[in-house]
Amino acid sequence: MLSSASTNREKLQKFYNENIDSLSELYPGITFERLIQEFESSWSKGPVERREILKDCYLEGASHPLNTFFSYLKKGIPLEYISGQSYFYKSEFRVTPDVLIPRSETEILVEIAVNYLKSKSKEQDTFSIADIGTGSGNILLSILQEVDCPCFAVGLDISPLALAVAKKNHFNLKYRMSPKHHVEWIISDRMGSLYTEDHRLFDLIVSNPPYIKEKYDRKLVHHKVDQLEPHSALYLKDEEYDQWFALFFQQVENKLRPGGMFIMEGHEHHLESLRDLAQSYGLDSENTEIINDYTGRPRFFTWKRKNG
Ligand SMILES: C[S@@+](CC[C@H](N)C(=O)[O-])C[C@H]1O[C@@H](n2cnc3c(N)ncnc32)[C@H](O)[C@@H]1O
């Protein structure tokens, strides 16, 4: 066992030394120790689970786990898709090529949401929360871990494959959240399904929707992201962009309870015009705000609905 681990280490070291230039380009900041860690966490899972995580990226017939690992690395497959896990906010999330890999800047959205719920918990002892475009469930499950009082929560996504990943994460992280929370995962185009299934209003609506214009913004997207992450999570058609958000804002306006809060991540180039659009759908300007990320780019749009 020991000798096999040390042989793997030697082979990985040799691969790393021989491919350092291309690896640094595909995986900026990659170190040998990180590669070792990723290999160990990928191959501690059984072959069936690995196949389930990587789906069609899985290379049938590759003889040795290390050779398979090297093939993935040469293709530039994100380390998170290879190991099937990604760290976000305070937890490890399962990810597959069916979901966007959670980005660290989205943690700002979680922080805004958690601060809001903590301030509201002085006057309220239950909350209802909706997350639109939930993907791996990273936003909703991170928020729920921080709230002790009972929450009714829905994670909505148009992709049933993404929802399967979110459900798995919910199962894995259940022990870290209040047993009083009730969570549902619903297939839905934006909040559309809630109109037929549920007349509930929400205290908090969060969303990191697809917000890249398919043609106009594409040149700014890293080619590996464009090639390997789900397009339905990234892009909207340029000509449908405003219409897509117009319906979304109408639904938010309809479903947010007085005193509630809406928080959305968006594209730095489009967020201000989306705020104008939102205002024309009743999200009143006095209570909207645009918040920057840590690099100073405008990335989050919030709306607090007046009480009563
Ligand atoms: C940018 S990803 C965000 C994923 C995750 N919430 C995160 O922050 O990492 C956008 C998500 O929205 C989903 N989506 C795309 N179009 C949608 C629609 N019309 N209605 C609901 N969800 C949609 C995608 O499947 C994807 O999971």
Side-chain angles (χ1 to χ4, degrees):
M1 197 58 199
L2 253 182
S3 72
S4 139
S6 66
T7 318
N8 281 347
R9 200 179 166 87
E10 282 161 21
K11 286 185 179 160
L12 263 165
Q13 180 77 68
K14 185 165 178 283
F15 176 84
Y16 180 78
N17 293 343
E18 285 171 1
N19 295 280
I20 180 79
D21 290 342
S22 61
L23 285 173
S24 305
E25 201 186 311
L26 291 165
Y27 304 97
I30 189 75
T31 59
F32 173 63
E33 285 310 320
R34 172 94 196 269
L35 268 196
I36 287 276
Q37 268 173 17
E38 293 292 340
F39 177 71
E40 283 172 356
S41 75
S42 311
W43 265 265
S44 60
K45 298 181 178 75
V48 173
E49 197 182 355
R50 279 204 312 277
R51 210 171 268 133
E52 199 186 306
I53 290 168
L54 274 153
K55 307 217 160 156
D56 49 347
C57 303
Y58 191 83
L59 303 171
E60 291 296 343
S63 52
H64 188 281
L66 261 182
N67 293 339
T68 310
F69 187 59
F70 293 157
S71 312
Y72 291 150
L73 293 175
K74 282 184 180 161
K75 286 179 172 215
I77 293 180
L79 294 171
E80 291 86 348
Y81 285 157
I82 299 178
S83 64
Q85 55 201 41
S86 172
Y87 199 76
F88 177 81
Y89 195 67
K90 296 184 182 173
S91 313
E92 203 68 57
F93 285 85
R94 177 191 182 86
V95 292
T96 74
D98 295 320
V99 296
L100 189 89
I101 298 166
R103 304 298 204 263
S104 58
E105 62 267 26
T106 305
E107 293 174 356
I108 297 175
L109 188 159
V110 173
E111 279 163 13
I112 301 169
V114 169
N115 287 338
Y116 168 74
L117 292 177
K118 288 199 167 151
S119 72
K120 285 290 270 188
S121 62
K122 291 172 197 133
E123 60 202 59
Q124 216 172 307
D125 56 9
T126 63
F127 292 111
S128 51
I129 307 172
D131 175 18
I132 295 85
T134 197
S136 60
N138 53 318
I139 295 177
L140 187 59
L141 294 169
S142 297
I143 294 171
L144 288 173
Q145 284 178 59
E146 299 284 349
V147 189
D148 294 330
C149 65
C151 294
F152 167 82
V154 283
L156 303 157
D157 205 291
I158 203 161
S159 158
L161 296 173
L163 285 177
V165 177
K167 282 181 195 166
K168 178 90 182 171
N169 279 319
H170 183 203
F171 178 80
N172 291 344
L173 293 170
K174 237 178 185 163
Y175 74 99
R176 298 183 69 162
M177 55 186 86
S178 164
K180 292 181 194 142
H181 294 337
H182 174 81
V183 188
E184 291 178 9
W185 305 100
I186 301 174
I187 299 173
S188 179
D189 178 0
R190 286 152 281 184
M191 303 182 84
S193 297
L194 298 181
Y195 284 84
T196 48
E197 288 178 9
D198 195 320
H199 298 289
R200 187 183 294 261
L201 296 180
F202 294 94
D203 299 295
L204 174 69
I205 300 176
V206 289
S207 184
N208 177 14
Y211 55 69
I212 303 172
K213 288 190 181 176
E214 197 175 40
K215 292 197 194 96
Y216 184 79
D217 297 320
R218 198 150 185 172
K219 55 190 174 303
L220 302 173
V221 177
H222 192 283
H223 68 280
K224 282 288 165 196
V225 172
D226 182 59
Q227 188 188 339
L228 296 163
E229 298 202 51
H231 280 198
S232 58
L234 298 169
Y235 298 116
L236 290 174
K237 288 193 183 348
D238 298 33
E239 60 279 14
E240 291 170 9
Y241 199 83
D242 283 359
Q243 238 181 327
W244 196 95
F245 280 102
L247 176 62
F248 184 32
F249 293 144
Q250 253 173 304
Q251 293 174 338
V252 168
E253 203 278 330
N254 240 274
K255 290 283 175 189
L256 193 69
R257 175 171 289 156
M261 186 171 192
F262 169 57
I263 314 167
M264 187 192 100
E265 182 170 328
H267 195 291
E268 60 187 293
H269 295 154
H270 309 309
L271 211 53
E272 287 184 7
S273 67
L274 285 182
R275 177 187 47 195
D276 296 343
L277 183 72
Q279 283 164 6
S280 67
Y281 284 93
L283 281 64
D284 56 304
S285 56
E286 276 170 49
N287 298 304
T288 57
E289 200 181 342
I290 288 191
I291 296 171
N292 291 351
D293 65 14
Y294 295 129
T295 64
R297 294 174 305 157
R299 296 295 311 287
F300 304 94
F301 170 60
T302 67
W303 175 50
K304 273 192 191 154
R305 181 168 222 155
K306 279 192 205 124
N307 260 315

